[in-house]
């Protein structure tokens, strides 16, 4: 099993920045891809970004491309999401996820296929 714990959420004004972290523990050697999803109030959960084990491959939703950057530090078993130029529509609960399959492109992958999920961290962007 793998446990994921997110941190770094909070309240920020539009145009500001936040960095989310996701710390993994347990059978971390089994993880290949990691990523982020988000869920706004009253909406479904959507893909945000994902990254391969080495970090060589990254994928983003069109809505965050150019503003968000995903990265990971395998020595620390931690993944990050640097969020810049935040907009009110970025307000959501952000979930960390990890998967053991050798596929880091989660843009069209069913969420049900992702192996592990964190509890989520709230990000609120005020206008």
């Amino acid at each position: 099993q793998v446990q994921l714990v997110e941190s770094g959420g909070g309240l920020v004004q539009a145009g500001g920045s936040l960095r989310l972290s996701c710390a993994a523990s347990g059978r971390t050697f089994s993880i290949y891809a990691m990523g982020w999803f988000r869920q706004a109030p009253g909406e479904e959960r959507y893909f945000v970004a994902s990254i391969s084990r080495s970090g060589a491959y990254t994928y983003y939703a069109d809505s965050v491309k150019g503003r968000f950057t995903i990265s990971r530090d395998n020595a620390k078993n931690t993944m990050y999401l640097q969020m810049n130029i935040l907009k009110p529509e970025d307000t959501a609960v952000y979930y960390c996820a990890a998967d053991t399959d050798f596929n880091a492109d989660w843009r069209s992958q069913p969420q049900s296929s992702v192996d592990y999920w964190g509890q989520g961290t709230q990000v609120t962007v005020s206008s």
Side-chain angles (χ1 to χ4, degrees), residues 5 7 14 20 33 53-54 71-72 75 77 87-88 93 103 105 118:
V5 178
S7 61
L20 304 183
R53 189 202 304 272
S54 68
S71 62
R72 64 192 287 180
N77 292 319
K87 305 175 181 180
V93 176
N103 172 34
D105 187 355

Side-chain angles (χ1 to χ4, degrees), residues 2-96:
V2 172
Q3 294 77 41
L4 303 173
V5 178
E6 303 96 335
S7 61
L11 173 65
V12 64
Q13 288 189 333
S17 298
L18 278 176
R19 188 176 81 155
L20 304 183
S21 299
C22 172
S25 61
R27 296 172 61 89
T28 57
F29 62 86
S30 66
I31 297 172
Y32 177 74
M34 298 186 74
W36 295 92
F37 292 79
R38 68 186 182 185
Q39 185 170 21
E43 296 187 12
E44 297 181 1
R45 188 164 57 187
Y46 290 102
F47 166 79
V48 175
S50 57
I51 186 169
S52 62
R53 189 202 304 272
S54 68
Y57 300 97
T58 57
Y59 304 89
Y60 296 93
D62 289 343
S63 59
V64 307
K65 200 173 296 183
R67 299 188 298 122
F68 290 11
T69 302
I70 189 171
S71 62
R72 64 192 287 180
D73 184 338
N74 291 330
K76 297 181 179 179
N77 292 319
T78 302
M79 175 182 62
Y80 305 97
L81 185 67
Q82 178 66 43
M83 306 186 294
N84 298 328
I85 317 175
L86 282 161
K87 305 175 181 180
E89 51 263 43
D90 293 319
T91 294
V93 176
Y94 283 70
Y95 295 92
C96 168

Side-chain angles (χ1 to χ4, degrees), residues 101-127:
D101 286 346
F102 292 112
N103 172 34
D105 187 355
W106 291 358
R107 291 174 294 182
S108 56
Q109 178 170 307
Q111 294 182 33
S112 59
S113 67
V114 175
D115 293 324
Y116 303 105
W117 294 90
Q119 293 300 308
T121 185
Q122 176 70 47
V123 171
T124 303
V125 184
S126 63
S127 57

